[in-house]
Amino acid sequence: MSQVKKAAVLDHAHVGDIHGAFGSISQHDLDPRNDFRSRLKTLLAVMGPGLIVMVGDNDAGGVATYAQAGQNYGTSLLWVLLLLIPVLIVCQEMVVRLGLVTGVGHAQLIFNRFGKFWGWFSVGDLFLVNFLTIVTEFIGISLAMAHFGVSPYISVPVAGVMLIMFTISGSFRSWERFMYLFIITNFIAIPMAFMAHPTLTPIMTGFFVPHIQGGLNGNVMLLIIGIVGTTVAPWQLFFQQSNVIDKRLTPRWMKYERADTIIGAFVVVIGAAALIITTAFAFQGTHFAGNFNDSGAVASGLTSTLGPVVGNIFAIVLLNASIIGAAALTLSTSYAFGDVFMVKHSLHRSWKDAKLFYAVYVFIIAAAGAIVLIPHAPLGLITILVQALAGVLLPSATVFLVLLCNDKHVLGPWVNKPWQNAVSMVIVGALVMLSLILATTTIFPDINVPMLVEVLAIIFGITLLIAGAWWWKNNRNQPRVKEVVDEEERIEWRMDPLEDLPPVKGSKGRTFGMVTLRLYLIVAVGMLVVKAFQLALG
C-alpha cells in the first residue's frame, strides 16, 4: 500500500498544527507517547470534538425531554440512557474514522459516493431539521431567562450576538475554549440532582431493571423515542466529522479522539440522568408529578418544591444547554454548506477570509432568533416537527454512515470490521423500528402502541435472523484472508482526492436497499407533512 501524495482536504486551513483548548501539537510531531504524562497532555490537546458533540446534544430539547421523563415516570426510564451509550460510541467512532482518514466532510462524501439525489437530500434535511432545532434552542433561551424576569426581546438578541461573536473570532482555539465553558457548566446538573434528596435503590433499579412506571402506552413510547432522538441525532454525524477535520486531526491521533468520544458519551448520559433524577425525586408525591408542561414550568415547579436555588440552577442548565446546542447545530450547518459549495469553511479563518461560511452562520442565528420573537408563532408545532423529522431521518443518515465505513476507497485499512458491521446493522434496524413507531403514532395517535411495538419487534427479529443466515451462506466458503498492514503505514494512509476516487460498484443488494430507503423516506416524510398541515389548521 502506498502513501497518498495529494491531500483530499477541501480547505487548506484544515492542514497544520493542532491548537486545542488545552495544548498544541506540531503537524510534524511524530514522537511516541510512552508515559502517562505525555499521553495525558496529548489527550488534552486533541480532545474537544467528542465532548462538544455529545454535550451539545443535551440541548434545550434534551433538557425538556429528560425533565419530562423524570416528572412523569420517575426513574423508570434511566435504563434507556444506559442502552444509548454503546449506540453513541459506535456511531460517532465511525464518524471519527471518516473525518481523520478522509479529511472531507460527511455531506461531500455522500455527494461523491451516493450521487446528487442523496447528496442534496442529506444536506436538505440537515439544513431543515437543524434550523427548526435551532429555533427550539432559542425557545429554551427565552424560557430560561424568563425565569429570571428577562424579556425574550432582550435575552434572544443578546444570546444571538454572543453566539456570533465567539464563533467569528478567526481562532479555533478561542472557539473551543468558549465551548469548554459550557461543557463545565453542564456539570452543575450533578449537585442539583443531590439537592433533590435522591435515594439509591430506585436509581439503581431504574438503570439496571428495564421497566416503565404505569406500563407501556403511546405517550411513554413517544417519550422513549424522544430520548433516543434527542441523544442520537443526525447533526452529530455531520458536526463531529467536520470538527475533527477543522481541528486538523489525522489518523495518528485516532486513539485519542476515540477516547474523547467515549468520555463524551458518558458525560452526556451522566448529565441526562442528573436531570431525570432531579425531577423524579423533586416532584414525587406532589401535584406536579405526571403533569409536565414545558421547561419553564419545571423551573417554577422546582422552585416550589426544593426552593429558588434549585429552580435557578435548572434555569441555568437550560440556558447553557440551549446556547451550546445552538452553537454546535449552526456550525454543523455552516460546515456542510462549505463542503457542498466548495467555499472556505474553517474556524481558523478570519471573517474576511471566509465570508460565506460565517455569513451562513450569522443568517441562521438571526433567522431562528427572529422566529421565536414573532407573536403567536407556532413554536409548539415546530418542537413536535423537530422530534418527528429527526426520528424519521436518523435511520437514513446511519445507513450512509455504515456504507461509507465499508468503502475501501474511502477508508482503506480503516474500514469496518465484521463485528462493527453486525453491531451497526442492529443499531440501524432498531432506529428504523423506532422511526416507524414515531411516524405511525404521530399520524395515527389512537393506534394500539403496545401491539405495534410487539409486531415491529417480531419483524425486526425475523429480519435480523434472515440477514444473518444470508451472510453466513454467502461467506461460509469464502477463504479468510487476513490483510496484514504495518501500523505506521496504516496511520499514514489517507484517502485520495475525491476526483481521483473510482466510482462505486453497484450491486443488486445495494440497489434494493437504496430504493427501499427512498420509498420509506417518501412515505414517512409525506405522512409527517400531512400531519403538520392538520396541526397547523387545527
Side-chain angles (χ1 to χ4, degrees):
M1 187 183 299
S2 59
Q3 182 179 344
V4 296
K5 297 180 181 179
K6 189 178 174 185
V9 293
L10 303 179
D11 188 327
H12 293 303
H14 295 159
V15 179
D17 297 342
I18 298 170
H19 296 296
F22 299 112
S24 298
I25 302 175
S26 170
Q27 177 185 359
H28 306 292
D29 183 353
L30 305 179
D31 294 338
R33 271 69 173 172
N34 296 323
D35 59 274
F36 176 79
R37 183 187 176 112
S38 62
R39 289 172 180 169
L40 179 60
K41 287 178 65 177
T42 303
L43 175 62
L44 290 175
V46 168
M47 72 186 304
L51 268 173
I52 292 168
V53 75
M54 297 296 184
V55 177
D57 216 37
N58 270 2
D59 59 356
V63 170
T65 302
Y66 305 136
Q68 181 180 1
Q71 183 170 350
N72 290 0
Y73 301 98
T75 57
S76 67
L77 295 180
L78 286 172
W79 57 272
V80 179
L81 299 179
L82 209 58
L83 291 177
L84 287 176
I85 292 177
V87 176
L88 283 167
I89 292 173
V90 169
C91 290
Q92 294 305 125
E93 188 278 336
M94 287 191 282
V95 170
V96 166
R97 269 186 287 136
L98 283 172
L100 270 59
V101 174
T102 68
V104 174
H106 204 67
Q108 188 54 244
L109 281 180
I110 293 175
F111 263 97
N112 185 270
R113 307 309 283 168
F114 299 100
K116 290 183 178 180
F117 173 85
W118 288 114
W120 285 116
F121 172 83
S122 64
V123 172
D125 77 58
L126 177 75
F127 283 11
L128 175 61
V129 176
N130 276 12
F131 181 75
L132 294 176
T133 308
I134 294 162
V135 172
T136 67
E137 309 299 359
F138 279 105
I139 296 172
I141 290 170
S142 65
L143 289 173
M145 294 307 295
H147 180 77
F148 298 106
V150 180
S151 167
Y153 292 99
I154 296 175
S155 61
V156 170
V158 169
V161 170
M162 183 181 69
L163 284 165
I164 291 169
M165 294 309 295
F166 82 74
T167 302
I168 65 173
S169 65
S171 169
F172 186 97
R173 169 174 284 176
S174 296
W175 172 84
E176 192 170 79
R177 284 176 174 172
F178 202 89
M179 296 299 280
Y180 263 109
L181 289 177
F182 296 110
I183 292 172
I184 294 169
T185 305
N186 177 71
F187 284 98
I188 65 172
I190 297 174
M192 180 178 67
F194 281 102
M195 295 171 76
H197 312 294
T199 53
L200 186 60
T201 300
I203 294 174
M204 298 303 291
T205 302
F207 271 121
F208 300 107
V209 182
H211 65 290
I212 299 172
Q213 181 177 301
L216 180 64
N217 56 57
N219 290 334
V220 73
M221 195 65 226
L222 288 179
L223 182 58
I224 290 173
I225 296 170
I227 293 173
V228 175
T230 195
T231 310
V232 186
W235 73 265
Q236 290 178 280
L237 311 179
F238 290 83
F239 174 83
Q240 190 172 6
Q241 184 165 335
S242 292
N243 200 235
V244 297
I245 294 167
D246 202 7
K247 193 163 183 177
R248 300 167 173 172
L249 301 181
T250 65
R252 184 168 293 278
W253 315 112
M254 185 74 72
K255 63 181 180 181
Y256 294 99
E257 185 51 33
R258 280 172 171 163
D260 176 33
T261 301
I262 293 170
I263 292 169
F266 280 94
V267 167
V268 72
V269 167
I270 290 171
L275 288 166
I276 292 177
I277 291 168
T278 299
T279 52
F281 287 96
F283 296 138
Q284 64 179 353
T286 72
H287 69 278
F288 294 105
N291 293 307
F292 175 82
N293 185 14
D294 58 34
S295 298
V298 171
S300 299
L302 290 174
T303 300
S304 299
T305 57
L306 298 177
V309 173
V310 178
N312 292 343
I313 292 176
F314 181 86
I316 293 171
V317 168
L318 175 60
L319 176 64
N320 179 75
S322 302
I323 292 175
I324 193 172
L329 278 154
T330 311
L331 189 57
S332 73
T333 311
S334 296
Y335 276 142
F337 178 87
D339 264 345
V340 172
F341 294 100
M342 299 292 187
V343 299
K344 298 173 181 177
H345 53 294
S346 172
L347 293 173
H348 291 284
R349 294 188 180 277
S350 66
W351 170 270
K352 291 182 179 179
D353 199 26
K355 290 180 181 177
L356 276 176
F357 169 64
Y358 289 120
V360 170
Y361 186 95
V362 172
F363 173 78
I364 293 170
I365 291 291
I371 287 176
V372 175
L373 298 179
I374 297 174
H376 310 298
L379 302 181
L381 176 60
I382 290 173
T383 303
I384 293 171
L385 279 178
V386 164
Q387 292 181 334
L389 275 174
V392 167
L393 297 172
L394 182 58
S396 64
T398 314
V399 167
F400 292 139
L401 177 63
V402 174
L403 291 175
L404 286 171
C405 285
N406 281 277
D407 191 331
K408 289 191 175 182
H409 296 295
V410 171
L411 282 185
W414 294 97
V415 292
N416 275 2
K417 295 179 174 62
W419 72 266
Q420 289 173 311
N421 283 328
V423 173
S424 299
M425 293 317 297
V426 171
I427 292 172
V428 170
L431 291 175
V432 169
M433 186 178 78
L434 290 175
S435 177
L436 285 171
I437 294 171
L438 177 61
T440 305
T441 51
T442 300
I443 305 304
F444 307 107
D446 297 325
I447 197 169
N448 187 326
V449 175
M451 183 178 292
L452 174 65
V453 173
E454 289 179 9
V455 169
L456 289 177
I458 292 171
I459 295 173
F460 176 43
I462 293 173
T463 303
L464 286 179
L465 288 174
I466 293 173
W470 178 83
W471 183 88
W472 180 79
K473 179 182 177 181
N474 285 275
N475 290 275
R476 59 177 177 170
N477 296 322
Q478 295 291 329
R480 295 187 178 182
V481 180
K482 186 175 181 180
E483 185 179 358
V484 180
V485 181
D486 178 78
E487 184 60 25
E488 188 62 29
E489 192 173 359
R490 187 168 182 255
I491 287 174
E492 295 298 329
W493 197 94
R494 301 298 298 275
M495 185 185 77
D496 289 320
L498 291 171
E499 61 270 18
D500 295 339
L501 295 182
V504 177
K505 291 183 179 179
S507 66
K508 292 182 179 179
R510 181 186 176 96
T511 302
F512 174 77
M514 298 307 289
V515 170
T516 303
L517 179 61
R518 186 179 300 194
L519 291 174
Y520 159 75
L521 288 169
I522 290 172
V523 173
V525 173
M527 291 167 67
L528 288 177
V529 169
V530 171
K531 185 65 176 181
F533 274 108
Q534 291 176 345
L535 291 173
L537 297 174

